[in-house]
């Protein structure tokens, strides 16, 4: 019985010795495991920092691309303005092709912007592992955008070449028209002299009173001229020379490149560019209209391609009466669907956000509809409202957009507007 007990005691001692020997080994293993964890954690932090720097560089590239696209949009807008001015002189078949290219470029730019927005939304919300897997996709998108930008540059250069050729062609046509106009003017002067009538004269400074005065003195080419109405300083105007006479343009909108959301002082003095969109200025319009009896012709076009033109007998009071507008539709205009640009009685004062002269007791119509206009009670027209920048916006009625309501009560979103003045004697030409 003693031998098994001794054996058992020896086994117990060996077990205790092994257990005692095992404790330091476990500590060393645990220490080694913590070192490995620290190494792995340090590596992950370095990897995360590298991914963050890569994402930052990608965002910088995206901003550069956005800047290029913005520059291209401004270039395209300038091309559209130049093309519109040329279309006013003569219809050229090549202009339609340029418009088609412009629409194609706009659609491609819109698709590029959408893709950029999607990529920018993915990057901040993704984890480092997701961003790592998304890097090849982002690089491919950037490369594709660079290729498309190069293609857009090539197309713009081609369009510029076409526009230059068209410009040369138009200049040749203008020279021919001017030559014929000079001959016609000489013949009219000779006929006037034979009748004993004196032709109208220029002002003492050699400047005409309006564009029709220029027309009577032989100017037949539409463009920018200096005029000087009675009791006013000279200023530049855009003249539209037609077969019946010269029209002084007081408002023009065609592409939304000029904001019309201005205060009273700006509407008084005028703003914009005569080569593009502009408002001539209430004071300048008043000085022209006070020289005699004038006609106002309103030319509108909507997004469906419908065009409407209406004439009114026109008079504009001075600033002491808030530039009140007096209109009487011409009975011979023949516009069955015409609607007065006034939405109340004749003699409505002009209103802006900072000079509320409308008849609405509980609203500021200029603030509601944007821009400045002859408002009655925030009614049925505003040709100086905000221009719709996307085609989808014109499919639904919204405040702050330029619009027109016809006699059927239909709210018609507008694409272009043109307001121009001429003496009533133009009907007798």
């Amino acid at each position: 019985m003693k031998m098994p007990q001794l054996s058992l005691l020896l086994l117990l001692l060996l077990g205790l010795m092994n257990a005692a020997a095992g404790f330091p080994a476990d500590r060393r293993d645990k220490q080694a495991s913590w070192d490995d964890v620290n190494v792995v954690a340090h590596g992950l932090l370095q990897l995360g920092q590298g991914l963050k720097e890569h994402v930052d560089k990608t965002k910088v590239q995206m901003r550069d691309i956005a800047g290029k696209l913005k520059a291209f949009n401004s270039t395209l807008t300038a091309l559209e303005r130049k093309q519109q001015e040329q279309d006013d002189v003569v219809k050229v078949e090549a202009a339609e092709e340029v418009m088609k290219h412009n629409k194609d470029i706009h659609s491609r730019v819109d698709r590029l912007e959408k893709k950029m927005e999607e990529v920018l939304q993915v990057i901040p919300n993704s984890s480092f592992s997701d961003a790592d897997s998304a890097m090849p996709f982002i690089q491919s998108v950037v490369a594709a955008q660079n290729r498309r930008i190069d293609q857009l540059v090539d197309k713009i250069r081609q369009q510029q070449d076409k526009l230059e050729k068209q410009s040369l062609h138009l200049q040749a046509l203008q020279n021919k028209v001017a030559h014929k106009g000079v001959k016609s003017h000489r013949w009219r002067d000779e006929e006037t002299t034979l009748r004993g009538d004196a032709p109208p004269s220029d002002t003492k400074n050699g400047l005409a009173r309006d564009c029709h005065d220029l027309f009577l003195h032989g100017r037949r080419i539409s463009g920018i001229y200096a005029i000087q109405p009675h009791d006013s300083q000279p200023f530049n105007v855009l003249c539209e020379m037609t077969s019946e006479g010269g029209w002084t343009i007081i408002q023009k909108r065609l592409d939304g490149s000029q904001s019309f959301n201005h205060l009273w002082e700006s509407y008084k003095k005028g703003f914009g560019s005569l080569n593009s969109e502009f408002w001539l200025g209430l004071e300048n319009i008043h000085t022209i209209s006070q020289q005699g009896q004038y006609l106002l012709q309103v030319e509108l076009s909507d997004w469906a391609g419908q065009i409407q033109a209406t004439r009114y007998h026109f008079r504009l009071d001075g600033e002491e009466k808030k530039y009140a507008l007096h209109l009487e539709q011409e009975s011979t205009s023949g516009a069955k669907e015409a609607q007065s640009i006034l939405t109340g009685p004749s003699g409505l004062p002009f209103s802006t956000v900072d000079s509320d002269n409308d008849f609405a007791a509980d609203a500021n119509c200029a603030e509601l509809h944007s821009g400045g206009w002859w408002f009655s009670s925030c009614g049925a027209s505003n040709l100086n409202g905000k221009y719709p920048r996307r085609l989808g916006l014109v499919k639904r009625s919204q405040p702050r957009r330029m619009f027109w309501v016809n006699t059927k009560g239909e709210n018609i979103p507008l694409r272009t507007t043109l307001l121009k003045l001429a003496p009533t004697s133009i009907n007798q030409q």
Side-chain angles (χ1 to χ4, degrees):
M1 296 297 293
K2 290 182 179 180
M3 290 301 294
Q5 290 177 354
L6 290 173
S7 299
L8 182 58
L9 289 174
L10 288 173
L11 289 174
L12 290 173
L13 289 173
L14 288 174
L16 291 172
M17 290 175 66
N18 289 332
F23 283 116
D26 291 341
R27 292 193 193 96
R28 287 194 299 271
D29 291 341
K30 288 182 180 180
Q31 185 67 34
S33 298
W34 281 112
D35 292 340
D36 292 339
V37 169
N38 289 332
V39 170
V40 172
H42 183 68
L44 289 175
L45 289 175
Q46 290 182 337
L47 177 61
Q49 184 65 27
L51 288 175
K52 185 177 182 299
E53 292 176 356
H54 192 72
V55 170
D56 292 339
K57 290 180 181 179
T58 304
K59 287 184 178 179
V60 172
Q61 293 176 353
M62 293 298 181
R63 285 194 293 269
D64 292 340
I65 293 172
K68 291 181 180 179
L69 291 176
K70 185 176 181 181
F72 292 145
N73 283 334
S74 62
T75 302
L76 292 175
T77 302
L79 289 174
E80 290 177 355
R81 290 198 298 268
K82 187 174 181 181
Q83 185 175 359
Q84 182 66 31
E85 293 171 3
Q86 292 177 347
D87 287 342
D88 292 340
V89 180
V90 64
K91 297 289 186 178
V92 183
E93 293 180 358
E96 297 179 356
E97 183 180 356
V98 173
M99 286 295 294
K100 184 183 294 184
H101 283 302
N102 284 341
K103 291 180 180 179
D104 181 56
I105 290 172
H106 276 299
S107 63
R108 292 188 178 186
V109 170
D110 288 338
R111 289 198 295 269
L112 287 175
E113 290 177 346
K114 290 180 179 178
K115 278 202 170 184
M116 289 177 59
E117 291 175 357
E118 293 174 359
V119 172
L120 291 175
Q121 289 176 357
V122 168
I123 291 176
N125 297 327
S126 60
S127 63
F128 289 127
S129 60
D130 293 337
D132 189 18
S133 61
M135 283 303 112
F137 170 73
I138 296 173
Q139 292 173 352
S140 64
V141 170
V142 172
Q145 289 174 349
N146 288 332
R147 290 194 298 269
R148 290 182 181 178
I149 289 172
D150 293 337
Q151 293 173 358
L152 293 176
V153 171
D154 292 337
K155 287 191 175 182
I156 290 173
R157 288 174 180 170
Q158 294 174 3
Q159 291 176 5
Q160 289 176 340
D161 293 338
K162 290 181 180 179
L163 288 173
E164 290 176 358
K165 293 179 181 178
Q166 291 175 17
S167 179
L168 294 175
H169 181 65
L170 290 175
Q171 288 178 1
L173 292 176
Q174 288 174 350
N175 292 333
K176 290 181 180 179
V177 172
H179 181 67
K180 292 181 179 179
V182 170
K183 287 185 177 180
S184 175
H185 177 61
R186 290 176 180 173
W187 175 82
R188 181 177 296 177
D189 285 347
E190 292 173 358
E191 184 181 18
T192 303
T193 304
L194 291 174
R195 290 201 310 264
D197 299 331
S201 60
D202 291 344
T203 62
K204 61 181 179 180
N205 293 329
L207 296 178
R209 299 183 306 164
D210 55 27
C211 291
H212 189 62
D213 199 4
L214 288 166
F215 178 87
L216 296 177
H217 285 81
R219 300 300 179 94
R220 296 294 186 271
I221 300 177
S222 299
I224 299 174
Y225 296 91
I227 66 170
Q228 185 175 17
H230 292 320
D231 300 325
S232 74
Q233 296 296 320
F235 55 89
N236 292 333
V237 294
L238 178 61
C239 294
E240 181 182 309
M241 302 302 185
T242 66
S243 59
E244 60 182 350
W247 291 87
T248 306
I249 299 177
I250 64 174
Q251 188 250 41
K252 184 178 182 182
R253 306 193 69 179
L254 52 92
D255 57 13
S257 58
Q258 171 65 46
S259 171
F260 274 64
N261 192 22
H262 287 264
L263 302 180
W264 178 268
E265 195 65 23
S266 292
Y267 269 100
K268 175 184 174 182
K269 295 180 179 179
F271 53 84
S273 170
L274 294 177
N275 290 316
S276 179
E277 296 191 332
F278 67 91
W279 173 260
L280 187 59
L282 291 167
E283 190 61 31
N284 291 336
I285 299 170
H286 167 65
T287 58
I288 295 174
S289 68
Q290 69 177 354
Q291 298 181 115
Q293 296 180 349
Y294 273 80
L295 293 175
L296 169 68
Q297 181 156 315
V298 181
E299 298 178 4
L300 309 173
S301 70
D302 60 23
W303 293 86
Q306 299 295 321
I307 300 175
Q308 175 180 306
T310 313
R311 285 186 182 180
Y312 306 90
H313 292 279
F314 172 88
R315 180 167 60 87
L316 188 67
D317 292 334
E319 187 174 16
E320 69 280 359
K321 295 184 179 180
K322 306 297 183 183
Y323 298 108
L325 177 64
H326 301 270
L327 291 180
E328 180 183 350
Q329 186 170 330
E330 190 179 34
S331 58
T332 59
S333 63
K336 297 181 179 179
E337 296 298 330
Q339 176 82 358
S340 174
I341 63 174
L342 287 176
T343 57
S346 181
L348 283 177
F350 197 82
S351 288
T352 58
V353 173
D354 61 332
S355 182
D356 185 8
N357 302 313
D358 58 59
F359 293 168
D362 56 348
N364 184 330
C365 297
E367 183 177 3
L368 176 64
H369 288 302
S370 179
W373 194 246
W374 294 276
F375 295 108
S376 174
S377 56
C378 307
S381 68
N382 179 18
L383 303 190
N384 288 339
K386 189 175 182 180
Y387 192 90
R389 294 197 176 272
R390 291 183 180 273
L391 185 59
L393 294 176
V394 305
K395 295 181 179 179
R396 58 184 184 275
S397 176
Q398 288 186 343
R400 303 179 66 81
R401 306 284 174 189
M402 66 177 192
F403 64 95
W404 182 269
V405 175
N406 60 21
T407 54
K408 297 180 180 179
E410 299 170 333
N411 189 316
I412 309 299
L414 300 176
R415 185 173 185 177
T416 64
T417 67
L418 189 70
L419 307 182
K420 54 188 183 182
L421 297 177
T424 54
S425 58
I426 197 172
N427 287 333
Q428 303 171 3
Q429 298 296 322

